[in-house]
Amino acid sequence: MANGLDDVVAADTVLSDVDGVGGHLTIRGHSLMELAGHWRYGQVVRLLFDGFFDELPGDAELEKAIGKARVEVFERLQPMLVQLAPLGIYSAMRAGMALLPDGDELADALRLIAAPAVLTPALLRLARGEKPIAPDSRADHAADMLRMLSGTASPALAKALDTYLVTVCDHGLNASTFATRVVASTQAGLTSAILAGLGALKGPLHGGAPGPVIEMLDAIEASGDAAAWLRDEIAHGERVMGFGHRIYRVRDPRADVLKAVVRQLGTKSGTDSRLALAETVEQAALEVLRVAKPQRSIQTNVEFYTALLLEAAGVPKEAFSNVFAAGRVAGWIAHAREQQATGRLIRPQSRYVGPVPDLVA
């Protein structure tokens, strides 16, 4: 039996392929390097949705529709924001999304695309004692998310966040995507399926790593000795955050994309010194892990440079998973529609290993 369903094929998909040996990510026939930094998030949403919704509009029209969906979601959920905020940033976002209609049409999908980008800034502002900023339907999705958070959105940071959303939009049959497909296979609506994905993403083994990366960098900077700090963590059985992946046996290609984005931000966002620290820590971590765990290939994963990018964008670490969800929701929706189209309920078997009762003849 494959523990954790390792190497079990549970779906045929046209959406993405993760090559863990070669270190390549393909999204609907395009390499990640072809998309990230070159296609806008709205264009990638259309790429993922193509064939799963009737009368899907072109790129420009779809991006306008996403903008209108942001306004609709804000107007629909604004009266509940004060009640949601005490739940915590991630749980509040999830609870807000649960209030959206549970249909299967394109309008339902676009509201789900819009919701994390709208709810996260609004909830963060409320937590700071500030009034939420309404969306601008004419703005680019990533730029509007930043504007709703801080009141402004520099072109450089908007492009960086847009690249991040594209980079994490889909990634094979990970835990949250599989959870989404399981619920979608029951023919439940898209909101129900996406809530399953959000629940899986909340777990620290799946979506919780970028925040602790910031904590690790701060602790190492304070200690002044990256290698010694890392060796001590490993000796105490702690994980080195931002390294290792269930599928990749080589460097996560998304890490290179995001590292390049952080480097491009440069001195304009104050990331130069932070990037220098991160590069020092990365090299030390790779060497310490090579010595401590020679039987395993533990390489840099997407979370390491995600932390620097989102920090530069002004997102507090407790909201990192929210922003990840804002990118991944497009992939979840596409997988849900792909699964619904099969008409097949996901129902694996289990093997009973408990005690057997005596049977009376």
Side-chain angles (χ1 to χ4, degrees):
M1 183 180 73
N3 291 324
L5 299 181
D6 287 359
D7 300 322
V8 173
V9 176
D12 290 329
T13 183
V14 301
L15 294 169
S16 62
D17 178 58
V18 182
D19 178 356
V21 176
H24 303 295
L25 173 59
T26 300
I27 298 174
R28 202 116 197 217
H30 300 268
S31 71
L32 174 63
M33 302 304 176
E34 181 184 349
L35 298 177
H38 304 287
W39 289 43
R40 295 185 306 277
Y41 183 64
Q43 292 177 291
V44 174
V45 169
R46 192 188 186 285
L47 176 69
L48 291 170
F49 283 9
D50 190 24
F52 297 124
F53 294 96
D54 295 333
E55 299 179 359
L56 191 65
D59 290 343
E61 292 77 12
L62 185 63
E63 291 187 74
K64 290 179 182 177
I66 293 172
K68 291 178 181 178
R70 289 196 302 273
V71 173
E72 179 187 348
V73 167
F74 184 80
E75 292 175 347
R76 182 188 290 266
L77 299 181
Q78 185 182 17
M80 280 79 80
L81 290 175
V82 173
Q83 286 74 37
L84 293 173
L87 297 175
I89 185 64
Y90 191 85
S91 295
M93 179 190 72
R94 183 176 55 182
M97 292 177 71
L99 299 172
L100 296 175
D102 198 13
D104 296 312
E105 302 301 320
L106 179 60
D108 301 298
L110 296 184
R111 280 190 289 266
L112 290 164
I113 291 284
V118 169
L119 286 168
T120 300
L123 291 164
L124 287 171
R125 289 184 68 84
L126 282 173
R128 299 197 301 250
E130 299 171 347
K131 183 180 178 180
I133 298 174
D136 179 356
S137 65
R138 301 163 298 176
D140 176 81
H141 191 62
D144 204 27
M145 189 174 181
L146 290 175
R147 187 191 63 82
M148 286 186 282
L149 177 61
S150 63
T152 60
S154 75
L157 282 176
K159 181 175 176 57
L161 181 59
D162 186 76
T163 301
Y164 173 72
L165 298 179
V166 170
T167 299
V168 301
C169 71
D170 197 43
H171 198 250
L173 210 58
N174 53 80
S176 58
T177 299
F178 184 59
T180 298
R181 290 190 76 122
V182 169
V183 173
S185 78
T186 71
Q187 299 298 322
L190 288 174
T191 297
S192 293
I194 270 53
L195 289 173
L198 286 167
L201 183 65
K202 190 174 187 289
L205 293 186
H206 185 21
V213 167
I214 294 296
E215 297 167 6
M216 178 181 73
L217 291 176
D218 289 342
I220 290 175
E221 186 173 31
S223 77
D225 189 334
W229 189 94
L230 291 162
R231 283 194 293 266
D232 185 64
E233 286 290 291
I234 293 172
H236 286 86
E238 300 293 336
R239 293 177 61 202
V240 178
M241 306 310 294
F243 296 87
H245 193 274
R246 184 70 169 266
I247 302 299
Y248 290 116
R249 295 297 170 261
V250 294
R251 186 179 177 86
D252 187 334
R254 300 170 298 175
D256 285 329
V257 169
L258 299 182
K259 182 177 180 178
V261 171
V262 174
R263 178 171 284 115
Q264 288 169 4
L265 288 174
T267 55
K268 292 182 179 179
S269 62
T271 59
D272 279 351
S273 61
R274 198 62 158 165
L275 177 59
L277 170 65
E279 289 179 321
T280 298
V281 171
E282 180 183 21
Q283 292 307 310
L286 292 173
E287 178 60 21
V288 168
L289 288 166
R290 184 187 67 80
V291 173
K293 302 179 185 294
Q295 73 283 7
R296 297 176 59 191
S297 177
I298 303 177
Q299 301 293 326
T300 312
N301 66 34
V302 67
E303 310 293 2
F304 191 74
Y305 287 103
T306 287
L308 269 68
L309 192 156
L310 296 184
E311 182 183 54
V315 179
K317 61 181 184 291
E318 63 269 19
F320 284 1
S321 291
N322 292 57
V323 184
F324 182 96
R328 182 57 57 84
V329 67
W332 287 339
I333 292 167
H335 276 275
R337 293 294 292 164
E338 187 177 54
Q339 185 63 43
Q340 287 173 333
T342 70
R344 188 71 175 169
L345 179 69
I346 295 176
R347 175 52 168 96
Q349 292 288 343
S350 59
R351 180 168 56 189
Y352 180 67
V353 296
V356 179
D358 294 330
L359 300 178
V360 179

PDB file of all heavy atoms in Angstrom, residues 39-58:
ATOM      1  N   TRP A  39       2.900  36.629 -18.702  1.00  0.00           N
ATOM      2  CA  TRP A  39       1.454  36.604 -18.764  1.00  0.00           C
ATOM      3  C   TRP A  39       0.898  37.229 -17.484  1.00  0.00           C
ATOM      4  O   TRP A  39       1.382  36.955 -16.393  1.00  0.00           O
ATOM      5  CB  TRP A  39       0.936  35.172 -18.869  1.00  0.00           C
ATOM      6  CG  TRP A  39       1.184  34.476 -20.169  1.00  0.00           C
ATOM      7  CD1 TRP A  39       2.321  34.481 -20.907  1.00  0.00           C
ATOM      8  CD2 TRP A  39       0.255  33.637 -20.863  1.00  0.00           C
ATOM      9  NE1 TRP A  39       2.177  33.700 -22.025  1.00  0.00           N
ATOM     10  CE2 TRP A  39       0.904  33.170 -22.023  1.00  0.00           C
ATOM     11  CE3 TRP A  39      -1.062  33.240 -20.619  1.00  0.00           C
ATOM     12  CZ2 TRP A  39       0.288  32.314 -22.930  1.00  0.00           C
ATOM     13  CZ3 TRP A  39      -1.682  32.384 -21.527  1.00  0.00           C
ATOM     14  CH2 TRP A  39      -1.017  31.937 -22.681  1.00  0.00           C
ATOM     15  N   ARG A  40      -0.143  38.037 -17.619  1.00  0.00           N
ATOM     16  CA  ARG A  40      -0.831  38.555 -16.441  1.00  0.00           C
ATOM     17  C   ARG A  40      -1.695  37.452 -15.815  1.00  0.00           C
ATOM     18  O   ARG A  40      -2.080  36.492 -16.477  1.00  0.00           O
ATOM     19  CB  ARG A  40      -1.711  39.753 -16.799  1.00  0.00           C
ATOM     20  CG  ARG A  40      -0.937  40.966 -17.285  1.00  0.00           C
ATOM     21  CD  ARG A  40      -1.861  42.159 -17.501  1.00  0.00           C
ATOM     22  NE  ARG A  40      -2.977  41.843 -18.383  1.00  0.00           N
ATOM     23  CZ  ARG A  40      -2.912  41.853 -19.708  1.00  0.00           C
ATOM     24  NH1 ARG A  40      -1.761  42.146 -20.321  1.00  0.00           N
ATOM     25  NH2 ARG A  40      -3.966  41.557 -20.438  1.00  0.00           N
ATOM     26  N   TYR A  41      -1.987  37.640 -14.544  1.00  0.00           N
ATOM     27  CA  TYR A  41      -2.767  36.622 -13.843  1.00  0.00           C
ATOM     28  C   TYR A  41      -4.111  36.383 -14.524  1.00  0.00           C
ATOM     29  O   TYR A  41      -4.545  35.231 -14.673  1.00  0.00           O
ATOM     30  CB  TYR A  41      -2.982  37.035 -12.382  1.00  0.00           C
ATOM     31  CG  TYR A  41      -3.715  35.992 -11.571  1.00  0.00           C
ATOM     32  CD1 TYR A  41      -3.150  34.736 -11.336  1.00  0.00           C
ATOM     33  CD2 TYR A  41      -4.963  36.252 -11.029  1.00  0.00           C
ATOM     34  CE1 TYR A  41      -3.816  33.779 -10.584  1.00  0.00           C
ATOM     35  CE2 TYR A  41      -5.635  35.308 -10.275  1.00  0.00           C
ATOM     36  CZ  TYR A  41      -5.061  34.071 -10.061  1.00  0.00           C
ATOM     37  OH  TYR A  41      -5.726  33.128  -9.318  1.00  0.00           O
ATOM     38  N   GLY A  42      -4.761  37.455 -14.969  1.00  0.00           N
ATOM     39  CA  GLY A  42      -6.044  37.283 -15.653  1.00  0.00           C
ATOM     40  C   GLY A  42      -5.928  36.432 -16.910  1.00  0.00           C
ATOM     41  O   GLY A  42      -6.837  35.655 -17.228  1.00  0.00           O
ATOM     42  N   GLN A  43      -4.816  36.558 -17.622  1.00  0.00           N
ATOM     43  CA  GLN A  43      -4.598  35.738 -18.814  1.00  0.00           C
ATOM     44  C   GLN A  43      -4.433  34.264 -18.443  1.00  0.00           C
ATOM     45  O   GLN A  43      -4.920  33.372 -19.148  1.00  0.00           O
ATOM     46  CB  GLN A  43      -3.353  36.220 -19.557  1.00  0.00           C
ATOM     47  CG  GLN A  43      -3.485  37.579 -20.196  1.00  0.00           C
ATOM     48  CD  GLN A  43      -2.195  38.020 -20.853  1.00  0.00           C
ATOM     49  OE1 GLN A  43      -1.202  38.299 -20.164  1.00  0.00           O
ATOM     50  NE2 GLN A  43      -2.177  38.077 -22.173  1.00  0.00           N
ATOM     51  N   VAL A  44      -3.745  34.007 -17.326  1.00  0.00           N
ATOM     52  CA  VAL A  44      -3.540  32.631 -16.890  1.00  0.00           C
ATOM     53  C   VAL A  44      -4.851  32.038 -16.362  1.00  0.00           C
ATOM     54  O   VAL A  44      -5.118  30.846 -16.543  1.00  0.00           O
ATOM     55  CB  VAL A  44      -2.421  32.555 -15.844  1.00  0.00           C
ATOM     56  CG1 VAL A  44      -2.284  31.155 -15.267  1.00  0.00           C
ATOM     57  CG2 VAL A  44      -1.103  32.983 -16.481  1.00  0.00           C
ATOM     58  N   VAL A  45      -5.680  32.857 -15.740  1.00  0.00           N
ATOM     59  CA  VAL A  45      -7.009  32.389 -15.338  1.00  0.00           C
ATOM     60  C   VAL A  45      -7.772  31.908 -16.572  1.00  0.00           C
ATOM     61  O   VAL A  45      -8.386  30.834 -16.565  1.00  0.00           O
ATOM     62  CB  VAL A  45      -7.797  33.506 -14.623  1.00  0.00           C
ATOM     63  CG1 VAL A  45      -9.269  33.112 -14.444  1.00  0.00           C
ATOM     64  CG2 VAL A  45      -7.179  33.812 -13.267  1.00  0.00           C
ATOM     65  N   ARG A  46      -7.725  32.687 -17.641  1.00  0.00           N
ATOM     66  CA  ARG A  46      -8.418  32.281 -18.858  1.00  0.00           C
ATOM     67  C   ARG A  46      -7.830  30.987 -19.422  1.00  0.00           C
ATOM     68  O   ARG A  46      -8.561  30.109 -19.887  1.00  0.00           O
ATOM     69  CB  ARG A  46      -8.366  33.380 -19.915  1.00  0.00           C
ATOM     70  CG  ARG A  46      -9.320  33.086 -21.073  1.00  0.00           C
ATOM     71  CD  ARG A  46      -9.182  34.034 -22.244  1.00  0.00           C
ATOM     72  NE  ARG A  46     -10.219  33.745 -23.207  1.00  0.00           N
ATOM     73  CZ  ARG A  46     -10.215  32.688 -24.031  1.00  0.00           C
ATOM     74  NH1 ARG A  46      -9.206  31.829 -23.987  1.00  0.00           N
ATOM     75  NH2 ARG A  46     -11.205  32.478 -24.869  1.00  0.00           N
ATOM     76  N   LEU A  47      -6.518  30.861 -19.396  1.00  0.00           N
ATOM     77  CA  LEU A  47      -5.860  29.646 -19.866  1.00  0.00           C
ATOM     78  C   LEU A  47      -6.357  28.432 -19.087  1.00  0.00           C
ATOM     79  O   LEU A  47      -6.683  27.391 -19.673  1.00  0.00           O
ATOM     80  CB  LEU A  47      -4.344  29.792 -19.701  1.00  0.00           C
ATOM     81  CG  LEU A  47      -3.485  28.580 -20.044  1.00  0.00           C
ATOM     82  CD1 LEU A  47      -3.509  28.301 -21.541  1.00  0.00           C
ATOM     83  CD2 LEU A  47      -2.049  28.782 -19.559  1.00  0.00           C
ATOM     84  N   LEU A  48      -6.445  28.550 -17.764  1.00  0.00           N
ATOM     85  CA  LEU A  48      -6.883  27.433 -16.934  1.00  0.00           C
ATOM     86  C   LEU A  48      -8.362  27.140 -17.121  1.00  0.00           C
ATOM     87  O   LEU A  48      -8.788  25.972 -17.059  1.00  0.00           O
ATOM     88  CB  LEU A  48      -6.601  27.738 -15.460  1.00  0.00           C
ATOM     89  CG  LEU A  48      -5.132  27.771 -15.050  1.00  0.00           C
ATOM     90  CD1 LEU A  48      -4.979  28.331 -13.639  1.00  0.00           C
ATOM     91  CD2 LEU A  48      -4.507  26.373 -15.131  1.00  0.00           C
ATOM     92  N   PHE A  49      -9.176  28.160 -17.348  1.00  0.00           N
ATOM     93  CA  PHE A  49     -10.626  27.988 -17.445  1.00  0.00           C
ATOM     94  C   PHE A  49     -11.077  27.536 -18.828  1.00  0.00           C
ATOM     95  O   PHE A  49     -12.218  27.095 -18.990  1.00  0.00           O
ATOM     96  CB  PHE A  49     -11.328  29.306 -17.112  1.00  0.00           C
ATOM     97  CG  PHE A  49     -11.388  29.640 -15.646  1.00  0.00           C
ATOM     98  CD1 PHE A  49     -10.687  28.894 -14.703  1.00  0.00           C
ATOM     99  CD2 PHE A  49     -12.152  30.713 -15.213  1.00  0.00           C
ATOM    100  CE1 PHE A  49     -10.739  29.214 -13.349  1.00  0.00           C
ATOM    101  CE2 PHE A  49     -12.220  31.035 -13.863  1.00  0.00           C
ATOM    102  CZ  PHE A  49     -11.517  30.288 -12.929  1.00  0.00           C
ATOM    103  N   ASP A  50     -10.215  27.648 -19.825  1.00  0.00           N
ATOM    104  CA  ASP A  50     -10.605  27.370 -21.209  1.00  0.00           C
ATOM    105  C   ASP A  50     -11.180  25.959 -21.346  1.00  0.00           C
ATOM    106  O   ASP A  50     -10.538  24.972 -20.987  1.00  0.00           O
ATOM    107  CB  ASP A  50      -9.399  27.531 -22.134  1.00  0.00           C
ATOM    108  CG  ASP A  50      -9.791  27.493 -23.603  1.00  0.00           C
ATOM    109  OD1 ASP A  50     -10.958  27.795 -23.927  1.00  0.00           O
ATOM    110  OD2 ASP A  50      -8.932  27.147 -24.436  1.00  0.00           O
ATOM    111  N   GLY A  51     -12.399  25.872 -21.870  1.00  0.00           N
ATOM    112  CA  GLY A  51     -13.054  24.585 -22.071  1.00  0.00           C
ATOM    113  C   GLY A  51     -13.882  24.119 -20.899  1.00  0.00           C
ATOM    114  O   GLY A  51     -14.643  23.144 -21.023  1.00  0.00           O
ATOM    115  N   PHE A  52     -13.784  24.805 -19.757  1.00  0.00           N
ATOM    116  CA  PHE A  52     -14.534  24.391 -18.572  1.00  0.00           C
ATOM    117  C   PHE A  52     -15.745  25.270 -18.295  1.00  0.00           C
ATOM    118  O   PHE A  52     -16.520  24.973 -17.379  1.00  0.00           O
ATOM    119  CB  PHE A  52     -13.612  24.373 -17.353  1.00  0.00           C
ATOM    120  CG  PHE A  52     -12.493  23.373 -17.472  1.00  0.00           C
ATOM    121  CD1 PHE A  52     -11.172  23.768 -17.359  1.00  0.00           C
ATOM    122  CD2 PHE A  52     -12.755  22.034 -17.708  1.00  0.00           C
ATOM    123  CE1 PHE A  52     -10.140  22.852 -17.469  1.00  0.00           C
ATOM    124  CE2 PHE A  52     -11.730  21.107 -17.828  1.00  0.00           C
ATOM    125  CZ  PHE A  52     -10.416  21.512 -17.705  1.00  0.00           C
ATOM    126  N   PHE A  53     -15.877  26.370 -19.035  1.00  0.00           N
ATOM    127  CA  PHE A  53     -17.037  27.243 -18.895  1.00  0.00           C
ATOM    128  C   PHE A  53     -17.534  27.626 -20.281  1.00  0.00           C
ATOM    129  O   PHE A  53     -16.742  27.842 -21.198  1.00  0.00           O
ATOM    130  CB  PHE A  53     -16.687  28.513 -18.104  1.00  0.00           C
ATOM    131  CG  PHE A  53     -16.328  28.267 -16.669  1.00  0.00           C
ATOM    132  CD1 PHE A  53     -15.006  28.156 -16.279  1.00  0.00           C
ATOM    133  CD2 PHE A  53     -17.330  28.137 -15.716  1.00  0.00           C
ATOM    134  CE1 PHE A  53     -14.674  27.926 -14.954  1.00  0.00           C
ATOM    135  CE2 PHE A  53     -17.002  27.904 -14.386  1.00  0.00           C
ATOM    136  CZ  PHE A  53     -15.677  27.786 -14.004  1.00  0.00           C
ATOM    137  N   ASP A  54     -18.842  27.732 -20.435  1.00  0.00           N
ATOM    138  CA  ASP A  54     -19.424  28.139 -21.709  1.00  0.00           C
ATOM    139  C   ASP A  54     -19.168  29.617 -21.944  1.00  0.00           C
ATOM    140  O   ASP A  54     -19.176  30.431 -21.011  1.00  0.00           O
ATOM    141  CB  ASP A  54     -20.936  27.879 -21.709  1.00  0.00           C
ATOM    142  CG  ASP A  54     -21.268  26.389 -21.625  1.00  0.00           C
ATOM    143  OD1 ASP A  54     -20.431  25.583 -22.074  1.00  0.00           O
ATOM    144  OD2 ASP A  54     -22.345  26.057 -21.097  1.00  0.00           O
ATOM    145  N   GLU A  55     -18.926  29.975 -23.204  1.00  0.00           N
ATOM    146  CA  GLU A  55     -18.798  31.362 -23.635  1.00  0.00           C
ATOM    147  C   GLU A  55     -17.786  32.136 -22.793  1.00  0.00           C
ATOM    148  O   GLU A  55     -18.055  33.228 -22.287  1.00  0.00           O
ATOM    149  CB  GLU A  55     -20.163  32.061 -23.596  1.00  0.00           C
ATOM    150  CG  GLU A  55     -21.180  31.410 -24.528  1.00  0.00           C
ATOM    151  CD  GLU A  55     -22.543  32.096 -24.477  1.00  0.00           C
ATOM    152  OE1 GLU A  55     -22.684  33.066 -23.690  1.00  0.00           O
ATOM    153  OE2 GLU A  55     -23.442  31.669 -25.200  1.00  0.00           O
ATOM    154  N   LEU A  56     -16.602  31.567 -22.633  1.00  0.00           N
ATOM    155  CA  LEU A  56     -15.533  32.235 -21.897  1.00  0.00           C
ATOM    156  C   LEU A  56     -15.035  33.422 -22.727  1.00  0.00           C
ATOM    157  O   LEU A  56     -14.644  33.245 -23.887  1.00  0.00           O
ATOM    158  CB  LEU A  56     -14.384  31.256 -21.637  1.00  0.00           C
ATOM    159  CG  LEU A  56     -13.284  31.692 -20.664  1.00  0.00           C
ATOM    160  CD1 LEU A  56     -13.850  31.843 -19.266  1.00  0.00           C
ATOM    161  CD2 LEU A  56     -12.147  30.674 -20.675  1.00  0.00           C
ATOM    162  N   PRO A  57     -15.041  34.637 -22.166  1.00  0.00           N
ATOM    163  CA  PRO A  57     -14.621  35.803 -22.956  1.00  0.00           C
ATOM    164  C   PRO A  57     -13.114  35.833 -23.172  1.00  0.00           C
ATOM    165  O   PRO A  57     -12.365  35.043 -22.589  1.00  0.00           O
ATOM    166  CB  PRO A  57     -15.073  36.991 -22.094  1.00  0.00           C
ATOM    167  CG  PRO A  57     -15.070  36.458 -20.695  1.00  0.00           C
ATOM    168  CD  PRO A  57     -15.467  35.011 -20.808  1.00  0.00           C
ATOM    169  N   GLY A  58     -12.651  36.776 -24.010  1.00  0.00           N
ATOM    170  CA  GLY A  58     -11.227  36.938 -24.253  1.00  0.00           C
ATOM    171  C   GLY A  58     -10.512  37.517 -23.048  1.00  0.00           C
ATOM    172  O   GLY A  58     -11.125  37.852 -22.027  1.00  0.00           O
TER     173      GLY A  58
END
